[in-house]
Amino acid sequence: MRQMATRSYIDTLRELTEQGREVRLPIAGGSMVPFLVHNRDSVLLRKPDRPLKVGDIVLYQRRDGRYVLHRIRRIRQEGYYLIGDAQRETEGPLDREQIFALVIGACRKGRQIGPGDFWWEFFARVWIRMVPLRRFFIRSYTVWKGGSHG
């Protein structure tokens, strides 16, 4: 999909979440591997209806206009700090107004999961604290998967 088509799609998705609707977004890109995989998985989004917390996956808009789906790593007075599950560098601070959707469920490996499921909780509670060790784990995962993220 071309970038302009993606931007238009997410602009529409953003409008729908603002109206209180739940929408599904296919995963594009590799920043959320190994939890969410490009062209395999999707997420269910809605406008946040509760305070955001560490471990939540959110859809936000960067100041340069790009949309990103990442996990909240830290919350400080100056803003939110986010990171992809495949990344070691934290982005932030972001203003709350930049975050417009919360992931409330996912279709992972063809199976619907959400809060309370083992892998959901593992990535939200354990993986988020393992940032310094991610290089080792992601390298091992890639070798185990035969050199790809699929």
Side-chain angles (χ1 to χ4, degrees):
M1 199 184 293
R2 293 190 334 256
Q3 184 174 1
M4 202 57 195
T6 301
R7 182 171 303 243
S8 175
Y9 175 76
I10 295 184
D11 284 343
T12 301
L13 181 145
R14 186 174 189 167
E15 289 176 26
L16 292 170
T17 59
E18 286 297 322
Q19 296 169 9
R21 298 181 60 190
E22 294 180 357
V23 291
R24 186 154 303 274
L25 176 69
I27 296 300
S31 69
M32 290 300 289
V33 168
F35 182 57
L36 299 169
V37 175
H38 173 76
N39 283 340
R40 183 193 76 186
D41 301 327
S42 63
V43 293
L44 186 61
L45 302 161
R46 75 169 175 227
K47 183 177 181 177
D49 60 354
R50 61 166 174 76
L52 298 172
K53 63 183 189 238
V54 171
D56 283 343
I57 302 171
V58 295
L59 185 59
Y60 62 96
Q61 189 171 21
R62 288 181 173 153
R63 298 207 191 289
D64 66 7
R66 290 184 294 161
Y67 292 104
V68 181
L69 184 84
H70 280 168
R71 193 179 297 278
I72 297 174
R73 183 174 184 203
R74 286 190 299 268
I75 303 170
R76 300 286 187 261
Q77 186 174 2
E78 67 273 13
Y80 293 82
Y81 292 83
L82 294 106
I83 190 166
D85 287 347
Q87 298 178 321
R88 294 185 320 272
E89 298 295 322
T90 303
E91 175 180 2
L94 278 81
D95 296 329
R96 174 61 183 86
E97 295 75 37
Q98 292 176 261
I99 299 170
F100 63 90
L102 171 68
V103 173
I104 59 169
C107 182
R108 182 176 189 266
K109 297 182 179 180
R111 186 166 95 66
Q112 294 296 323
I113 66 167
D117 287 308
F118 174 81
W119 287 113
W120 186 280
E121 298 302 326
F122 173 81
F123 282 96
R125 298 176 190 268
V126 177
W127 188 252
I128 195 71
R129 292 176 171 83
M130 298 176 64
V131 173
L133 302 173
R134 286 183 180 183
R135 174 179 286 161
F136 168 76
F137 286 111
I138 291 171
R139 187 178 301 136
S140 299
Y141 174 81
T142 302
V143 168
W144 178 67
K145 288 300 233 179
S148 73
H149 288 303

